[in-house]
Amino acid sequence: MAKNKKATRKFEKNHLKDTIERRKEFAKIKQRNQVKDKKKARRAKDYERVDSDEEAKPKKVSNGESKGKNAFEDMTVDDFFRGGFDIPERKATRGPKAGKTKVDTKKLGKRKRTTLDDKGDSSSEASAEGQPLPSDVDSGSDRDEDLDAHKEDLEALKAKDPEFYKFLQENDSELLAFDEHGDLAEVEELSGSDEEEARPSKKSKKQKKVKKDVDEAAAESNKADSDQEKAGEDDGEVTAAMVSKWRVAMTDVQSLRAMRQVVLAFRAAAYVNEQEGKEYKYTISSPEVYHELLMLALKHVPDVLKHHLPIKESAPGKLRVPTDSKKFRTLTPLLKSHSSSMNHLLTSLNDASTIKVTLASLLELLPYLLSFKKILRGLIKTVVAVWSDSSSTEATRINAFLVIRRMAVIGDSGIREAVLRSVYQGLVKGSRNTTVHTMQGVNLMKNSAAELWGLDPVVGYTTGFTFIRQLAIHLRGSITNPSKDSYKTIYNWQYTHSLDFWSRVLSTHCSSLAIAQAGHPKNQASSLQPLIYPVVQITLGALRLIPTAQYFPLRFHLIRSLLRISLATETYIPLGPALLEVLHSAEMRKAPKPSTLKPIDFSTTLRAPKAYLRTRVYQDGVGDQTADLLADFFLLWTRSIAFPELSLPVTVTLKRWLRDTGSRSTGNKNAKLASLFSLLVQKLEANARFIEQRRAKVDFAPDDRAAVEGFLRDESWEVTPLGAFVKGTRRAREERERILEMGRREEDKRGRAGREGRDEEDGEGRGEGGAFSEEEEEDDE
C-alpha cells in the first residue's frame, strides 16, 4: 500500500475534520431543502384531492355531533395546517385562577422576549474572560487558516450545484460574503453603551449647574465649527474639527463609535497614495489633518481597546484576552481592518519618527492579533523588513526588534517559528551589501537576532538545524562540483555573516553563564549545544576552500567567529594550523615590493584587490592580523594546565619560519614582521614556564578532571605573561582604530561638504545659463 504524501497527511491532521464538518452542514441544508420541496409537492397534491372530494360529496356532520367529539380526532396533519375549524373550549379547572383560563386571541400574536440571549451573552463573556491566549490562538488561527479553504469549497459548490448556491445567496448571503477589512457596522451596536458609561449615577445640584454652564460655553464656542464639520461629514472630507471631536470622544468616554470612524479614516489615510479603483468613506487633503489623524489612531485606538477588552497577565507571564466574548467577536472586523492598514502604512513610511510611533502602537495591539495568524504573518514580514533595512536608523531598528521579540514571547510555537524564519531571512538579505557605513547596523542585527533563539529551545534548535544544514549543502556543492564561479556561493558577505551569526547564537546560549541563568541543572547542556560541531566544521571547511592570499581577509573573519565560540563554550578548536598556513604562503615568505596604497581595512573586506598583492602594506597588514589572532587563540588557554604542550608545536613552527624569512637570499626582508613574531614567541615561552612552575606544586593526578579544570581558575588571565602582553596590544589596537575612525569621519564630512558645494554651483550655473544642452550632458557623463 502506497504511503500518503506529506501534504495529504498534514491536511488530514489539520483541516480534514473541519472540512468534513462543513460538508456535512452543507449536505444537511441541501437535504432539508429537498425535504421541504417534497412536502410542498405532496401537500399540493393532497389539496387537489381534498378539494375534488368536497365538491363531489357534501358535508353531513351536524353541529350537535361535532360538539360532543374531539375536533382533532379525525383530522389529518394537512387539514390541521389548512385551518378553518373552531378550537374547542377547555373546561374550567378548579382553583383560584379558574376564571382566568380564557385565552385572549389578540395577545397571541406577540410575545414578550425573554432575556435568554442576554444571559447567554453575559455568561459567555464571563466564561471567556479568563481564557488563556494559547487556546484562543489555536481556535482563531484555525478560522483564519480555513478561510481560503472555505472560499475554495464555495467556488466548487457553485460549479457543482448552482441551484443550491443560488439558494444560499437568497437565504444566507453572509455565508458567501467576504471582505478584506470586514464589516464594521456591527460596532455601532456596541457604541450605544458609550453614553451610558459616560453618564454618572448621581450628581449634585452644584455639579449639574457647573456642567450646564460648561455645555453652554462649549456650544457657543463650537457653533461656528458645527456647520463646517457637518458639511465635511457629508462630503467625506476629514477636517480638524472632526478629528478633535473624535479625540474627545475616545479619551473621555472611550467611545467605540468614534474609534470606528477613526479606523475608517485611518484606512483612507494609509491608502492615500493608492486610491485608484478603491472607494473609501473619508478623504484627507490637508497635511495637518493627515498628521493629526495618524497620531490619533496610533496613540488612542489601543487605549480604547484596552478599556473594552482588558488584557490580563497570569503569573507565568501568559496573557489572557476574552476572545470568546460577544464584544471581541464584534470588534474583530475593526481589528483586522486597523492591523491591515498599519501593515500597509509601514511599507510606505520613510520618516523615522512616524515609523517609531507606528511600531509602538503595533506593540500594544499584538495581544489582540494573536487569533489572526494570517494577518500576523504579514505584519512579521513587514516589521522584519523595517528592522533589516539598511536605510533605517539605529532607533528604528531597535523599535522594530521590540515588536519582533514581543511576537515571539507571547505567541505560540507556530508564531515563534515564523518569527525566527523571517528574522534569519531578513538578516541574510540585509547583510548583502556590507560597507564601513553599514557594518554597525549589520552587527546590531546579528546581536539582537541571536537573542531570539533562546526564547524557545525546541523551536530554536529545529530552525537552527535547518538553516545550518542549508549552509552545509552549499559548501558541499561548491566542493563536489567545482567550477569557475562555484566558490562565489560561499565567498560572499551573506555566507560569512551567516556563519558569524550562528557563532553569536551559540556563544550567547551555550555558555555556562547562560545555562545557569536559564535555570538548567549544572551538568545539563543547552539544547543548542549539538549545533556547535556542525557550525565549526562548516566554518573550517569554508576558510580552506580557496587558500589564496587574496582571500586572507575572509579567513580572518571566520577565525574570529570560531574564537567567539571557543571562548564562550570552552570548546577547543584547533585554529593554530589555519593561521600557520597564512605564514607559509608565498605572500608572506617572499620579499614585498614597495607601495603607496592605503592600509587595507580588514573589518570590511573579504577579498583583497589584486593591486595589494605582494606589496609591503598588504604583507604588514596580514602579519598584524595573524599575530593578533594567534595571541587571542592562546589567550583562551593561558591558564590551562596543558598550555606548555599546547603551545610547543606552534612555537617551534614560528621559530623555523623566522629563521627561513630572515635569510638574506630567500627571506622576505621584513624587519617589522620579524620583530613582531619574535616577541610573540618570547611571550608564549614565558607563559609556558609560568604554567610549569605552578604545575610543579600540584598534588593531584591527571585523571582528576575536577582538579584539572579548576587549575588557576580563580586567577585572572591578566596576571599571566601572555595575558599582560595581549592587554597592551589590545589597548594599542583600539587607540589605532579610534584614530582611523576619526579620520574616516572627517573625510566623509569634507566629502559631503564638497558635494553640497558642487551642487550649489551647478544650480547657480543652471539658473544663469539655463538648462544644459544634450551634448554637454553627454560630456559630463
Side-chain angles (χ1 to χ4, degrees):
M1 182 176 179
K3 190 176 180 181
N4 292 334
K5 295 182 178 180
K6 184 177 180 181
T8 304
R9 296 196 302 271
K10 187 175 181 181
F11 175 81
E12 292 176 353
K13 181 180 178 181
N14 299 331
H15 306 292
L16 180 61
K17 185 177 179 181
D18 297 335
T19 305
I20 292 175
E21 290 179 357
R22 285 198 304 271
R23 291 180 180 176
K24 286 182 178 179
E25 291 177 0
F26 292 152
K28 288 179 181 179
I29 295 174
K30 186 176 180 180
Q31 185 179 4
R32 197 179 302 124
N33 286 279
Q34 291 176 354
V35 171
K36 287 182 180 180
D37 295 339
K38 291 180 180 179
K39 286 183 178 181
K40 288 181 181 180
R42 190 185 306 114
R43 195 176 298 121
K45 293 181 180 179
D46 292 341
Y47 291 162
E48 293 177 359
R49 180 172 53 79
V50 172
D51 292 340
S52 62
D53 293 342
E54 289 179 355
E55 293 176 358
K57 181 168 63 178
K59 294 181 181 180
K60 294 183 179 181
V61 181
S62 62
N63 294 332
E65 295 174 353
S66 64
K67 289 180 180 180
K69 296 181 179 180
N70 187 356
F72 307 105
E73 184 176 355
D74 298 330
M75 187 178 296
T76 63
V77 178
D78 295 332
D79 295 338
F80 176 80
F81 281 107
R82 287 183 60 188
F85 52 85
D86 296 331
I87 300 176
E89 295 183 0
R90 296 167 56 185
K91 293 182 180 181
T93 59
R94 296 180 182 181
K97 295 183 180 181
K100 296 183 181 181
T101 57
K102 186 177 180 180
V103 180
D104 190 357
T105 57
K106 294 182 180 180
K107 295 183 179 181
L108 289 176
K110 295 183 178 180
R111 296 181 182 178
K112 184 177 180 180
R113 287 183 178 271
T114 61
T115 59
L116 183 61
D117 297 339
D118 299 336
K119 292 180 180 179
D121 295 338
S122 62
S123 63
S124 65
E125 292 182 10
S127 63
E129 186 72 22
Q131 294 295 325
L133 270 183
S135 60
D136 299 337
V137 169
D138 295 338
S139 60
S141 63
D142 291 340
R143 291 192 298 269
D144 282 342
E145 291 177 353
D146 292 342
L147 184 61
D148 296 334
H150 192 38
K151 290 182 180 181
E152 295 177 359
D153 292 340
L154 291 177
E155 292 295 333
L157 179 66
K158 182 178 179 181
K160 185 177 180 180
D161 195 349
E163 296 180 358
F164 180 57
Y165 188 83
K166 184 178 180 181
F167 171 80
L168 290 178
Q169 285 181 330
E170 295 175 354
N171 296 275
D172 196 359
S173 59
E174 295 180 358
L175 182 64
L176 307 177
F178 296 96
D179 188 8
E180 180 185 0
H181 300 281
D183 185 11
L184 305 182
E186 298 180 1
V187 185
E188 293 287 352
E189 299 177 2
L190 294 178
S191 302
S193 62
D194 295 338
E195 298 177 359
E196 298 178 359
E197 294 178 0
R199 188 182 303 142
S201 58
K202 292 183 180 180
K203 285 186 177 181
S204 62
K205 294 181 179 180
K206 185 176 181 180
Q207 290 176 341
K208 291 181 179 179
K209 184 177 180 181
V210 171
K211 184 178 183 302
K212 184 177 181 182
D213 296 340
V214 172
D215 293 341
E216 290 177 357
E220 292 176 359
S221 61
N222 296 331
K223 186 176 181 181
D225 299 335
S226 61
D227 297 335
Q228 180 181 1
E229 180 182 346
K230 185 176 180 181
E233 291 180 354
D234 295 337
D235 298 338
E237 177 71 23
V238 180
T239 61
M242 293 168 61
V243 176
S244 300
K245 177 184 176 182
W246 292 338
R247 179 181 287 104
V248 172
M250 292 175 66
T251 54
D252 293 349
V253 298
Q254 310 292 333
S255 173
L256 285 175
R257 182 181 291 109
M259 186 180 72
R260 174 183 178 271
Q261 302 300 326
V262 170
V263 168
L264 291 174
F266 180 73
R267 183 171 66 184
Y271 291 87
V272 68
N273 296 326
E274 300 180 8
Q275 293 183 354
E276 298 179 358
K278 293 184 179 181
E279 294 182 0
Y280 300 99
K281 181 178 180 180
Y282 295 105
T283 58
I284 302 99
S285 59
S286 174
E288 292 79 9
V289 174
Y290 179 84
H291 177 73
E292 292 296 329
L293 176 63
L294 287 186
M295 295 299 105
L296 174 63
L298 296 175
K299 291 183 178 180
H300 295 289
V301 167
D303 297 336
V304 177
L305 287 175
K306 289 179 181 178
H307 175 78
H308 292 279
L309 295 172
I311 303 173
K312 295 183 179 180
E313 186 172 358
S314 60
K318 296 292 184 180
L319 299 180
R320 297 175 181 268
V321 177
T323 55
D324 291 339
S325 63
K326 180 181 178 182
K327 187 172 288 188
F328 184 85
R329 291 194 299 269
T330 307
L331 291 175
T332 293
L334 187 143
L335 284 170
K336 290 184 177 180
S337 174
H338 190 59
S339 58
S340 299
S341 301
M342 293 180 68
N343 188 15
H344 187 271
L345 183 65
L346 280 174
T347 60
S348 58
L349 286 177
N350 294 322
D351 183 54
S353 58
T354 309
I355 295 176
K356 180 180 178 181
V357 176
T358 306
L359 292 172
S361 178
L362 181 59
L363 185 65
E364 298 180 0
L365 290 178
L366 288 181
Y368 302 101
L369 303 179
L370 292 178
S371 299
F372 319 123
K373 282 193 174 181
K374 186 176 181 180
I375 295 177
L376 199 60
R377 287 193 181 97
L379 286 171
I380 290 172
K381 293 181 180 179
T382 304
V383 176
V384 168
V386 175
W387 171 74
S388 61
D389 189 4
S390 59
S391 61
S392 299
T393 61
E394 183 176 352
T396 302
R397 290 177 186 267
I398 294 175
N399 288 317
F401 174 74
L402 292 177
V403 176
I404 296 170
R405 189 182 186 279
R406 182 69 167 172
M407 292 180 186
V409 169
I410 67 176
D412 58 358
S413 58
I415 295 177
R416 291 192 187 100
E417 184 176 357
V419 168
L420 294 182
R421 290 183 179 275
S422 299
V423 165
Y424 183 73
Q425 293 171 1
L427 172 65
V428 174
K429 182 180 179 181
S431 61
R432 183 172 185 176
N433 296 322
T434 302
T435 61
V436 67
H437 305 286
T438 61
M439 180 59 78
Q440 185 177 1
V442 173
N443 290 331
L444 175 63
M445 285 195 296
K446 289 189 289 188
N447 292 328
S448 58
E451 180 186 352
L452 300 177
W453 259 260
L455 299 177
D456 192 335
V458 177
V459 178
Y461 174 79
T462 54
T463 54
F465 179 83
T466 302
F467 294 132
I468 293 171
R469 182 174 177 271
Q470 291 179 356
L471 296 176
I473 291 173
H474 288 306
L475 179 61
R476 184 185 64 180
S478 181
I479 294 174
T480 57
N481 300 318
S483 62
K484 185 178 180 181
D485 298 331
S486 62
Y487 72 94
K488 292 183 179 180
T489 60
I490 308 299
Y491 279 17
N492 55 64
W493 274 117
Q494 291 176 307
Y495 199 91
T496 305
H497 282 306
S498 297
L499 290 175
D500 185 70
F501 167 71
W502 290 117
S503 72
R504 294 171 189 260
V505 171
L506 297 177
S507 61
T508 302
H509 302 291
C510 296
S511 62
S512 58
L513 179 61
I515 294 174
Q517 291 177 350
H520 297 300
K522 185 176 181 181
N523 296 328
Q524 182 179 354
S526 173
S527 59
L528 300 177
Q529 194 85 15
L531 298 178
I532 294 178
Y533 180 77
V535 170
V536 171
Q537 292 298 319
I538 294 170
T539 307
L540 290 175
L543 65 87
R544 285 193 172 97
L545 182 63
I546 301 180
T548 59
Q550 202 167 6
Y551 286 101
F552 281 164
L554 184 141
R555 175 175 293 221
F556 297 150
H557 280 285
L558 297 181
I559 288 176
R560 284 191 173 88
S561 301
L562 294 177
L563 285 175
R564 185 184 297 110
I565 296 177
S566 183
L567 174 63
T569 63
E570 298 181 356
T571 302
Y572 176 74
I573 303 174
L575 297 178
L579 292 170
L580 293 177
E581 289 175 3
V582 175
L583 295 179
H584 286 89
S585 63
E587 184 73 24
M588 303 298 292
R589 295 175 66 90
K590 295 183 179 181
K593 55 185 179 181
S595 175
T596 58
L597 296 173
K598 293 182 180 179
I600 190 171
D601 188 3
F602 286 90
S603 63
T604 58
T605 304
L606 288 183
R607 179 174 177 269
K610 290 185 178 180
Y612 279 86
L613 298 180
R614 300 297 177 87
T615 59
R616 173 62 65 90
V617 63
Y618 186 61
Q619 192 179 78
D620 291 344
V622 172
D624 290 338
Q625 294 290 320
T626 305
D628 291 341
L629 291 175
L630 276 174
D632 292 338
F633 168 67
F634 283 108
L635 182 65
L636 300 177
W637 315 105
T638 184
R639 294 176 299 171
S640 174
I641 197 171
F643 183 84
E645 291 76 17
L646 182 66
S647 62
L648 181 61
V650 177
T651 303
V652 172
T653 306
L654 289 177
K655 288 182 177 180
R656 188 177 301 161
W657 181 81
L658 288 172
R659 185 179 66 251
D660 294 340
T661 56
S663 175
R664 295 182 179 180
S665 59
T666 60
N668 59 10
K669 300 177 182 180
N670 194 333
K672 180 180 178 181
L673 290 183
S675 62
L676 180 62
F677 283 98
S678 297
L679 181 61
L680 178 61
V681 169
Q682 294 176 8
K683 297 302 178 182
L684 291 176
E685 292 178 342
N687 200 88
R689 290 192 297 270
F690 172 79
I691 296 298
E692 288 175 353
Q693 293 174 1
R694 296 298 183 93
R695 190 170 62 181
K697 300 178 182 179
V698 300
D699 55 354
F700 53 84
D703 58 349
D704 190 354
R705 298 295 303 171
V708 169
E709 292 177 359
F711 179 75
L712 298 182
R713 177 73 69 176
D714 298 333
E715 295 189 15
S716 175
W717 59 270
E718 298 177 355
V719 301
T720 61
L722 182 61
F725 168 71
V726 172
K727 183 179 179 181
T729 56
R730 284 181 178 178
R731 188 184 300 112
R733 184 169 64 246
E734 290 174 358
E735 182 67 19
R736 186 168 60 252
E737 291 177 354
R738 187 182 65 83
I739 295 174
L740 291 175
E741 181 67 18
M742 291 177 59
R744 184 186 62 80
R745 291 181 179 179
E746 291 292 335
E747 185 178 356
D748 292 343
K749 188 182 297 184
R750 289 195 299 269
R752 196 179 303 111
R755 287 193 297 270
E756 292 177 357
R758 287 195 299 271
D759 292 340
E760 292 178 359
E761 293 177 359
D762 294 342
E764 293 176 358
R766 287 189 176 90
E768 295 175 359
F772 288 134
S773 62
E774 296 181 358
E775 295 180 355
E776 291 175 341
E777 289 180 353
E778 292 178 356
D779 294 339
D780 291 339
E781 293 178 358

